Amino acid sequence: MPFGSGLNPSAVKTAIDEFFFSKFDYAEQPGFTTAENPLLFKQQTSGQSAEITEEFGMPGEFLGKAESEAGPEATIRSGNQKTHNVVNYKRNLKIPKEYYDDDKHGTIQAMAEALGTRGKTSRDKNGFALYVGGFATYTTGDTAYIWSNSHTALNGSTVDNLSTGAFTATTFETLWRLLVEQASQDGEAGGHVPTAFLVPPILAPDAHEVLQSDLQAGTAENQLNYWSKVYPGLQVLSSIYLGSTFNQPGYANANTAHYLVSQNHGLTRWVREALYTRLVGWETDDNDEWTYKAGFREVVGARSWEGAVGSTGA
């Protein structure tokens, strides 16, 4: 339905003094972030309608050999191919020529800004669905969910990147250990340095307190806080699209789930076409309507389970 005077009769009259236009700054909350954050999403451009990925392995452990005895040949495997199809996201808004000509209160400019804002929120909602949906929706190339106790490495071994338990300093240590001791695709030691801890808004204050206090949180003793001293660069981040209210998959444990990633993770956002807004003239429209067109083309997906761990928090 057009954004016209039928729905907004006062906008083309001087019957009112001004409109109140809704504005939001959800992503500007301290510690909050968006799908454009390179710590959480590997940011890549796409030149096609789908991205096809495979996991790539390691050569295996070096073995001791006797003098003049040939060393074993290394076998580096690749596999677990996965296709990530680019999705088109669009929203158009029609404006009758008469309304465009008669707008008295700047509603058209506000409408264009609102369309752009909703494009950004839609981008973030779909982006963070990769994290929240990693428990029961999104999979990696081995067909297991992103957060799973039973990932299959390319050498056939099983790797666990899923934890449980309500967030505390103790359960965070368990999650941290899953990441720093994570095996590689050849079953040998891999391990990753954590760079970002992602939580829903309800856990953000606790996460900052546990990980960034000078001294241990929740104790009466003046004990050193290991996390803030050893990992001073570890970022604590959040988004409203991780919580139970707005998360895309409707995950039951969204308010308790949390995630720890390294710089080596495979959670990726491929952008085929960045968010755009364009105004198309009324001259070629049968109904004499201006059209604000907005949209973007992208896809998020997990190239691998490596370098990231998640907890249900339950």
Side-chain angles (χ1 to χ4, degrees), residues 5-211:
S5 56
L7 294 178
N8 307 276
S10 297
V12 294
K13 301 177 182 178
T14 55
I16 59 174
D17 293 320
E18 62 179 287
F19 276 95
F20 176 80
F21 299 118
S22 299
K23 291 185 179 295
F24 305 94
D25 48 14
Y26 79 100
E28 297 175 15
Q29 297 280 356
F32 279 50
T33 189
T34 72
E36 294 182 303
N37 190 321
L39 289 178
L40 303 176
F41 299 89
K42 301 298 182 183
Q43 306 288 333
Q44 297 190 6
T45 57
S46 176
Q48 51 209 4
S49 62
E51 293 291 330
I52 301 174
T53 61
E54 278 195 352
E55 295 175 350
F56 195 81
M58 294 287 285
E61 182 184 12
F62 279 49
L63 302 175
K65 291 294 177 181
E67 185 177 348
S68 299
E69 183 181 2
E73 292 186 5
T75 300
I76 299 182
R77 298 178 175 87
S78 62
N80 293 337
Q81 187 176 107
K82 187 172 179 63
T83 299
H84 311 268
N85 293 306
V86 172
V87 182
N88 299 327
Y89 298 93
K90 296 181 179 181
R91 176 71 76 176
N92 294 340
L93 201 149
K94 295 285 190 178
I95 310 166
K97 177 182 179 299
E98 295 78 8
Y99 185 94
Y100 189 94
D101 294 340
D102 297 340
D103 180 24
K104 302 294 185 184
H105 298 279
T107 60
I108 292 175
Q109 179 180 347
M111 170 212 60
E113 294 175 356
L115 201 61
T117 296
R118 191 53 74 218
K120 293 177 181 178
T121 60
S122 299
R123 174 201 64 197
D124 293 341
K125 185 176 184 178
N126 288 297
F128 285 108
L130 184 64
Y131 279 87
V132 187
F135 296 101
T137 303
Y138 288 89
T139 61
T140 55
D142 63 353
T143 72
Y145 293 124
I146 296 174
W147 319 117
S148 171
N149 297 126
S150 55
H151 282 292
T152 304
L154 291 174
N155 77 330
S157 62
T158 300
V159 180
D160 178 7
N161 75 338
L162 173 65
S163 187
T164 59
F167 171 70
T168 63
T170 300
T171 56
F172 178 81
E173 182 177 345
T174 300
L175 190 67
W176 166 82
R177 197 162 57 248
L178 274 180
L179 186 65
V180 300
E181 295 180 347
Q182 190 177 84
S184 183
Q185 293 281 5
D186 60 359
E188 296 299 323
H192 307 276
V193 176
T195 55
F197 185 52
L198 186 62
V199 297
I202 195 171
L203 293 182
D206 293 332
H208 281 280
E209 183 178 343
V210 169
L211 300 181

Side-chain angles (χ1 to χ4, degrees), residues 222-241:
N222 291 328
Q223 292 177 293
L224 175 73
N225 185 348
Y226 175 85
W227 308 116
S228 63
K229 298 302 180 183
V230 177
Y231 294 99
L234 178 62
Q235 291 200 29
V236 178
L237 300 168
S238 185
S239 168
I240 60 174
Y241 294 114

